[in-house]
């Protein structure tokens, strides 16, 4: 029976150095290979041109590089790019490049499918197949950075974990990927340019605070009334708002970082004065920003975008309570690349 080769990017630099020493070579060879794998993002041992052919063959005999492939790229009329990303086991996830006049943002996935059950999100209808590995998350960022340079003539400036999956349900791999992305031995991006968006897993928010992470936190909230939130995000029954609020208070006490809330206003669901008043009470404990997000339909008609009058009511009430508020227009709707639409439809 053929022995399965290990993915070389699962090894730390120290393990790579040990591998070479144990095979009669110098430890620094591990440093060279590590640089090729992460800084230079090569997808084959043959591409490691400063390493001897004999050494490359030894690596080929012992390891694989399970890199992603952009299976299909779609471009929106507004410039947004959506990638259908094929993983080494032929599963597919999606990632998005969102351009503006001053920046390009990568929206990356953290799971194949999703662990949660938000009724308004197309991804939630997909069965969660597995978590993404750190290198698979990293590769999405590299691919979008290359596209940003090619199509917009500038490097990627920001990363948001708002693609497929709940990042905090893949906590260890997401943090390992961010470590690589921010490392000088990786992409050397500032953690302040990275935002992890969660639907709210209180235990993991506290864990992030304890680990003193330096990236930004966004919470996909959508209602600050338990009954309403549970009706549209059923997992809220297990992670109620009281527990989420306590975790966010803990986060702010530890980090002193502003919290961003992602919030869609739907007609007849959360578009009343009582809804915005509850939101003010919920997020008033710390400096906050509320992004009011345009709703992107997912074909079933259950959810309808609230009126402009309701959006203005939210803006007025939040601003009157010294809460920063922005209205975020969706990008890439014509290619199903907008928030909540990622469902492997190409």
């Amino acid at each position: 029976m053929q022995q399965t080769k290990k993915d070389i990017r699962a090894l730390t630099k120290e393990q790579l150095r040990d591998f070479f020493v144990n095979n009669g070579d110098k430890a620094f060879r591990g440093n060279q290979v590590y640089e090729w794998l992460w800084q230079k993002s090569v997808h084959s041992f043959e591409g490691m041109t400063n390493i001897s052919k004999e050494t490359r063959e030894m690596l080929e005999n012992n390891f694989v590089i399970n890199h992603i492939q952009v299976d299909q790229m779609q471009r929106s009329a507004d410039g947004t790019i959506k990638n259908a990303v094929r993983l080494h086991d032929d599963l597919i996830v999606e990632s998005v490049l969102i351009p503006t006049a001053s920046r390009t943002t990568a929206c990356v996935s953290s799971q194949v499918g999703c662990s949660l059950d938000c009724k308004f999100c197309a991804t939630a209808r997909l069965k969660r197949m597995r978590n993404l590995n750190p290198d698979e998350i990293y590769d999405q960022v590299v691919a979008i950075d290359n596209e940003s340079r090619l199509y917009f003539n500038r490097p990627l400036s920001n990363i948001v974990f708002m693609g497929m999956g709940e990042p905090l349900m893949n906590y260890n791999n997401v943090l390992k990927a961010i470590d690589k992305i921010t490392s000088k031995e990786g992409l050397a991006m500032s953690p302040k340019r990275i935002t992890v968006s969660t639907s709210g897993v209180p235990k993991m928010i506290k864990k992030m605070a304890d680990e003193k992470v330096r990236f930004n936190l966004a919470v996909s909230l959508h209602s600050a009334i338990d009954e309403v939130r549970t009706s549209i995000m059923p997992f809220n029954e297990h992670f109620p708002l009281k527990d989420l609020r306590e975790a966010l208070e803990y986060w702010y006490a530890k980090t002193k970082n502003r919290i961003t809330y992602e919030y869609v206003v739907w007609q007849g669901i959360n578009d009343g004065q009582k809804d915005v008043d509850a939101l003010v009470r919920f997020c008033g404990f710390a400096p906050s920003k509320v992004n009011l997000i345009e709703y992107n339909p997912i074909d079933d008609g259950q959810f309808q975008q609230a009126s402009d009058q309701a959006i203005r009511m939210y803006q007025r009430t939040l601003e009157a309570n010294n809460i920063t508020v922005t209205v975020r227009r969706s990008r890439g709707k014509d290619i199903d690349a907008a928030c909540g639409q990622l469902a492997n439809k190409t």
Side-chain angles (χ1 to χ4, degrees):
M1 189 170 75
Q2 186 176 6
Q3 186 176 2
T4 303
K5 296 178 186 177
K6 187 176 181 68
D7 183 356
I8 193 169
R9 288 192 294 177
L11 273 59
T12 64
K13 185 200 283 190
E14 290 68 30
Q15 289 171 325
L16 273 173
R17 287 168 60 88
D18 290 344
F19 170 80
F20 281 103
V21 170
N22 293 337
N23 282 272
D25 208 332
K26 299 285 194 299
F28 80 88
R29 194 74 64 205
N31 299 356
Q32 290 178 305
V33 171
Y34 191 86
E35 183 178 335
W36 279 111
L37 293 172
W38 296 106
Q39 269 191 336
K40 299 177 180 177
S41 296
V42 297
H43 289 168
S44 71
F45 297 113
E46 195 60 34
M48 299 180 179
T49 51
N50 66 344
I51 294 172
S52 71
K53 184 178 180 182
E54 181 183 42
T55 301
R56 281 180 271 155
E57 287 176 352
M58 179 179 69
L59 290 170
E60 193 81 53
N61 291 334
N62 285 275
F63 301 107
V64 293
I65 306 173
N66 285 332
H67 61 86
I68 68 163
Q69 290 182 316
V70 176
D71 213 39
Q72 184 175 354
M73 187 188 81
Q74 293 174 278
R75 298 192 70 184
S76 167
D78 63 24
T80 300
I81 293 173
K82 182 172 78 169
N83 293 326
V85 174
R86 185 173 298 276
L87 309 175
H88 69 92
D89 53 6
D90 285 335
L91 293 173
I92 301 285
V93 295
E94 292 179 338
S95 57
V96 182
L97 185 161
I98 306 160
T100 66
S102 60
R103 64 174 64 179
T104 49
T105 299
C107 177
V108 299
S109 294
S110 55
Q111 295 181 310
V112 184
C114 188
S115 298
L116 301 181
D117 50 10
C118 303
K119 293 184 178 180
F120 51 85
C121 179
T123 308
R125 299 180 177 186
L126 303 176
K127 179 183 177 184
R128 190 195 75 82
M129 304 295 289
R130 68 173 176 86
N131 289 333
L132 292 188
N133 297 326
D135 53 277
E136 292 170 326
I137 297 169
Y138 186 92
D139 281 356
Q140 291 175 73
V141 175
V142 171
I144 291 176
D145 181 48
N146 289 337
E147 290 167 348
S148 179
R149 293 170 190 269
L150 177 63
Y151 295 109
F152 301 98
N153 201 32
R154 59 179 185 261
L156 180 67
S157 59
N158 295 78
I159 302 169
V160 293
F161 282 78
M162 295 182 186
M164 300 171 76
E166 165 52 60
L168 299 193
M169 294 291 194
N170 186 17
Y171 183 88
N172 290 334
N173 288 349
V174 165
L175 261 64
K176 285 177 183 176
I178 292 174
D179 281 345
K180 287 285 193 296
I181 291 164
T182 57
S183 168
K184 291 180 181 177
E185 297 180 315
L187 300 180
M189 286 191 69
S190 167
K192 291 299 180 186
R193 293 183 174 272
I194 299 173
T195 299
V196 171
S197 177
T198 176
S199 291
V201 186
K203 178 181 175 182
M204 305 316 289
I205 291 171
K206 289 181 176 180
K207 185 174 173 65
M208 284 197 300
D210 285 336
E211 295 189 1
K212 297 181 172 58
V213 300
R214 293 182 296 142
F215 50 78
N216 302 305
L217 174 66
V219 178
S220 184
L221 189 63
H222 311 302
S223 178
I225 300 171
D226 263 318
E227 298 76 24
V228 176
R229 194 168 195 255
T230 299
S231 73
I232 58 176
M233 305 168 81
F235 71 89
N236 184 70
E237 194 168 351
H238 305 290
F239 303 130
L241 288 167
K242 177 177 71 69
D243 294 350
L244 176 58
R245 165 73 179 253
E246 182 191 345
L248 293 173
E249 288 176 347
Y250 187 84
W251 162 272
Y252 181 70
K254 286 274 189 175
T255 68
K256 299 303 180 190
N257 289 338
R258 181 174 74 170
I259 301 163
T260 297
Y261 297 93
E262 309 289 352
Y263 199 102
V264 180
V265 186
W266 291 285
Q267 183 179 322
I269 293 176
N270 61 349
D271 59 348
Q273 186 68 51
K274 71 179 189 308
D275 298 291
V276 67
D277 289 344
L279 175 59
V280 168
R281 288 193 299 272
F282 184 87
C283 62
F285 69 90
S288 303
K289 176 183 178 183
V290 175
N291 286 331
L292 297 175
I293 303 171
E294 182 181 2
Y295 178 59
N296 304 297
I298 55 172
D299 301 334
D300 62 1
Q302 180 183 356
F303 294 89
Q304 299 293 329
Q305 173 72 30
S307 67
D308 289 343
Q309 182 181 355
I311 300 299
R312 287 194 293 271
M313 176 193 68
Y314 264 85
Q315 285 181 279
R316 284 195 308 271
T317 307
L318 290 166
E319 287 170 353
N321 285 276
N322 298 314
I323 297 169
T324 303
V325 57
T326 61
V327 178
R328 208 167 74 194
R329 301 300 176 191
S330 293
R331 307 287 300 273
K333 286 197 286 188
D334 56 330
I335 56 171
D336 293 318
C339 285
Q341 290 187 319
L342 298 187
N344 290 339
K345 290 200 298 184
T346 55

